[in-house]
Amino acid sequence: MGKFDMAGLAASIRKEFKDKPKTAKRIGVGSNLSKLTDADYITMPKWWADCTGVPGLPFGKLVMIAGDSDSGKTSAAIEAMKAAQAQNVGVIYVETEGKTTEQDLSSWGVNPAEILLIQSSMAEEAFELLFTAWDSFKAKYPGSKLLVVFDSIGNVVSQRDSEINLTEQDSKPGGKGKINRLAINKMVSKKDEDNAAILIINYTYDNIGSPGKTNAGGKAVNFFSSLTFQTSRKGWVEKQVDGKKIRIGADVVWKLFKNHLNKSANNKKEFTLRITSGGISCVESE
């Protein structure tokens, strides 16, 4: 035994919180640090594991896919919802852009009737509805796992922004960043206790005067994300039909921005996905 009996000390401290079992569980020793197994993930299709090095979306963690339009973000989110349904995981889908249709879900094999849907582009309203739905789901199905998809967090507006007088208050900052930060903090506080996997869809914008892109949505979502990709469209996939080129999909590039789930030196830093009506496949990697 070493100089310090930390295990015994932790056990004695836990006794002081016997009336707060959830709090007591939060103290232990280094060997209590999480060791994720396949059971701790919503298992995604093979392309996800081949390209990311992890089996899927982890419960108790936040994953973010940020990028340009038509770069596979929502397609990946729909595949995540399909995987969750197949594995008896509840799904809450916050759709803020008004572009996803019932047909989009059905054509990818998702049962729309079993998705708890929230549609709002107003940050305060979207998050209020999300947390109400989240708590209601856990109250009715306390033992069930949950996937929360927010698509997308970067383009919501706040109630304050919508009511601002552009002539008199054009120099005042908007409220969206603060709302997003508070909401992400609340998601993080709830995800472990409620066994929830969180997938944040976001967009990126160019860094003025410097290379690279910045993820929208504020610093909190970047900080708390355990797995982050930045995406961009590489080109359209076309085929000849009766002598004419018909667009059938897109090739998109995903770049690894952060991976705290698999810190192996063999992680792929960039890969290309092909997205068609038949699904997603990993066609090229570096």
Side-chain angles (χ1 to χ4, degrees), residues 130-141:
L130 166 60
F131 292 123
T132 300
W134 187 329
D135 290 340
S136 297
F137 176 85
K138 295 304 296 186
K140 188 168 185 178
Y141 306 106

Side-chain angles (χ1 to χ4, degrees), residues 88-107:
N88 296 316
V89 176
V91 179
I92 298 176
Y93 180 34
V94 184
E95 207 277 345
T96 71
E97 298 179 346
K99 66 179 185 180
T100 303
T101 68
E102 180 180 357
Q103 179 60 32
D104 291 329
L105 300 182
S106 298
S107 64

